[in-house]
Amino acid sequence: MKVAGIDSSTQSTKVLVVDGESGVVLRCGHASHPSGTEVDPAVWWDALRAAIADAGGIGDCAAVSIAGQQHGMVCLDARGEVIRPALLWNDTRSSGAARDLIREQSAQFWVEATGSAPVASLTITKLRWLADAEPANAAKIAAICLPHDWLTWKLSGSVDIHDLVTDRSDASGTGYVDVRSGEYRYDLLAQALRISEDQARAIVLPRIAEPFEIVGVVASEYGTASLGAGCGDNAGAALALGLKEGTASLSLGTSGVIATVAQAPALDPAGEINSFMDATGKWLPLACTLNGSRIIDYVKDLLGLSYRDIDHLAEKGNSNGLVLIPYFEGERTPNMPSATATLFGLTPVSMNKEAFARSACEAMCCLMRGALEALKRVIPDIQRAVLVGGGAKSSVLPQLMADIMGIPISIPTSRDALASHEFVARGAAWQAARTVLPNLAVWPFDSTVCEPSGDGGDVWERYQQYSRRYSDWAA
């Protein structure tokens, strides 16, 4: 039995066709997305079709599921047409709307109601921005969905907005789903759009499916595969890893995310932690940074180097006191959407490629250490982390991450070369297989472990010193 798992991320679409019982990847496909924080969803659909074709099709698959980037605002009219380009999770223009929603209710109210304080990333703040900045477009809304919901709907061939379906992991990242019951809060949706609750209830929201539910079938041109509900990208990675309590997933993609599994909502009064749901019936509290692997990209491109060059320079070099505060695109943890990246400690001995390469790697690790410290406020017993995403491919980052974060870091790889690091797509594929094989165990994978050496404490202390200085200056 074959199944397909799809990861529609910020940067690209990946399709894995997998043996459902063993987890062996049989073939794969890929298509890129354009850069930017505002994207016409039609681009995702074109990329999905191209990636399916690149994978040799999915006509021989029994089931398929789509995991996707969270929070993206996709607004549809009554005919199911996209009203305006989707605002992505990393679009910070709604930061003012987030502040307004907190002023109207308080951060504690939102955390208790939805598990998250409003920040620019969440869908609810983007809807408030739309209501204020583009009221004519807001008035056209007949349905609201998220990227993976919309793609699942498109893959089904439906044109009826009432057929939209989502899962609890992605829905809980909207900012208008109850953190305990998993039901929509139409009063909060109404508040965001500045309409009455009756008007909000007239808007079609995707039905929230049960874990491992079959929600439909693909359009006939793609075969006869059943459709799984799909999930948010972090929940997809958690499925592939079989994530358990006491262990965190540490994902380095466009963003950086550290997440763990909880049996109940883990609420953070400070509002830095999002107490999302996972794709199994539990919760997935996480801390997310706006900046992730692009920290390395920016420095790599500035220096005219390859990723291998950066690894080589960072491994042999020393930052020589150079500290990068890597808020290139603003930041979410800490919540500073208008922040910018800043260099501290520039001296003659730090003006070289080795120091810049090393400081970029240290900055990424320190940013994630800060996210870990935030997560440990609500889930203190995190003993280790599993590193996935682009950062896991680096020869220097895993050990540096272990040193700076002060916990063992495992680097998993699947047992095939086709998609050794595609854990979001593998999680979607496993979800698809689980809809058909209810007793399916997590597919096995290999891993190596980097133990902390004790050499990262000074780097972390220096980073904290300069980040506090930056915060005082920015304030």
Side-chain angles (χ1 to χ4, degrees):
M1 181 194 72
K2 300 182 182 71
V3 296
I6 296 167
D7 173 15
S8 181
S9 71
T10 312
Q11 296 178 308
S12 63
T13 296
K14 284 82 67 177
V15 175
L16 302 185
V17 176
V18 182
D19 179 89
E21 294 179 336
S22 68
V24 172
V25 178
L26 304 173
R27 55 186 194 267
C28 59
H30 174 274
S32 296
H33 296 171
S35 60
T37 64
E38 181 180 270
V39 175
D40 183 346
V43 171
W44 300 330
W45 177 232
D46 289 343
L48 176 55
R49 290 187 293 176
I52 288 174
D54 191 42
I58 57 173
D60 56 348
C61 293
V64 58
S65 285
I66 302 174
Q69 55 176 306
Q70 292 191 257
H71 314 310
M73 180 190 73
V74 182
C75 297
L76 307 177
D77 64 19
R79 299 173 301 169
E81 299 293 330
V82 174
I83 293 170
R84 69 165 332 277
L87 297 188
L88 305 192
W89 61 273
N90 54 350
D91 192 300
T92 60
R93 73 185 74 179
S94 59
S95 57
R99 290 192 295 271
D100 289 345
L101 290 170
I102 289 174
R103 278 197 294 265
E104 290 165 17
Q105 294 280 18
S106 84
Q108 183 176 359
F109 166 86
W110 288 100
V111 169
E112 288 290 333
T114 71
S116 303
V119 293
S121 298
L122 300 188
T123 315
I124 193 167
T125 68
K126 301 179 188 305
L127 290 172
R128 169 56 70 85
W129 174 87
L130 186 69
D132 291 345
E134 299 178 2
N137 281 333
K140 298 176 186 176
I141 293 176
I144 303 166
C145 56
L146 301 171
H148 112 259
D149 315 339
W150 186 80
L151 287 169
T152 300
W153 181 67
K154 293 288 287 185
L155 191 58
S156 76
S158 176
V159 294
D160 185 348
I161 57 177
H162 295 89
D163 291 336
L164 286 163
V165 64
T166 188
D167 90 301
R168 63 199 303 276
S169 72
D170 218 3
S172 64
T174 59
Y176 45 86
V177 167
D178 188 280
V179 68
R180 294 174 179 84
S181 70
E183 297 177 352
Y184 286 118
R185 291 284 302 264
Y186 287 96
D187 58 328
L188 302 183
L189 180 63
Q191 181 180 346
L193 287 170
R194 299 189 188 279
I195 58 178
S196 71
E197 187 170 338
D198 286 343
Q199 289 173 307
R201 289 183 178 276
I203 293 173
V204 174
L205 300 177
R207 180 178 67 83
I208 301 174
E210 295 297 321
F212 309 115
E213 179 184 338
I214 294 174
V215 300
V217 296
V218 300
S220 59
E221 64 185 288
Y222 298 102
T224 59
S226 299
L227 277 168
C231 53
D233 49 4
N234 297 299
L239 287 177
L241 295 169
L243 196 64
K244 299 184 183 301
E245 294 172 84
T247 299
S249 64
L250 175 56
S251 175
L252 294 179
T254 306
S255 63
V257 179
I258 185 159
T260 192
V261 172
Q263 296 292 332
L267 304 182
D268 175 24
E272 285 193 309
I273 300 306
N274 302 112
S275 191
F276 295 154
M277 299 174 186
D278 76 352
T280 72
K282 300 177 184 177
W283 279 259
L284 192 74
L286 62 82
C288 180
T289 65
L290 282 180
N291 298 277
S293 60
R294 286 182 176 176
I295 296 169
I296 306 298
D297 291 344
Y298 296 135
V299 174
K300 171 184 74 70
D301 294 344
L302 174 67
L303 300 178
L305 301 173
S306 68
Y307 290 113
R308 183 174 297 180
D309 293 333
I310 289 287
D311 276 355
H312 178 68
L313 290 171
E315 202 161 17
K316 74 171 187 178
N318 188 299
S319 58
N320 290 319
L322 189 65
V323 175
L324 170 63
I325 306 300
Y327 304 156
F328 287 97
E329 300 187 73
E331 192 42 73
R332 175 169 164 180
T333 307
N335 185 24
M336 301 177 69
S338 300
T340 56
T342 305
L343 277 169
F344 289 96
L346 283 165
T347 63
V349 295
S350 65
M351 293 298 291
N352 55 72
K353 291 182 178 181
E354 289 85 355
F356 272 69
R358 181 77 178 191
S359 67
C361 293
E362 290 177 351
M364 179 186 287
C365 296
C366 287
L367 188 63
M368 296 316 300
R369 169 68 184 270
L372 172 65
E373 295 300 320
L375 185 59
K376 288 174 73 173
R377 284 202 306 268
V378 295
I379 306 288
D381 189 29
I382 296 176
Q383 301 170 358
R384 59 186 59 85
V386 184
L387 179 62
V388 296
K393 302 175 186 178
S394 167
S395 65
V396 67
L397 276 173
Q399 184 60 57
L400 192 59
M401 194 73 73
D403 293 342
I404 290 175
M405 298 188 78
I407 56 175
I409 301 291
S410 298
I411 305 92
T413 56
S414 64
R415 294 180 177 180
D416 50 78
L418 281 177
S420 61
H421 294 284
E422 300 295 348
F423 276 83
V424 174
R426 286 180 63 82
W430 187 82
Q431 183 195 59
R434 179 69 167 67
T435 65
V436 181
L437 303 170
N439 297 317
L440 184 68
V442 174
W443 292 324
F445 55 86
D446 298 321
S447 62
T448 58
V449 179
C450 294
E451 296 286 347
S453 67
D455 293 339
D458 290 344
V459 174
W460 171 237
E461 290 299 323
R462 188 165 61 245
Y463 179 88
Q464 285 185 294
Q465 172 191 346
Y466 283 115
S467 63
R468 285 192 294 267
R469 186 177 300 181
Y470 175 86
S471 298
D472 291 344
W473 170 78

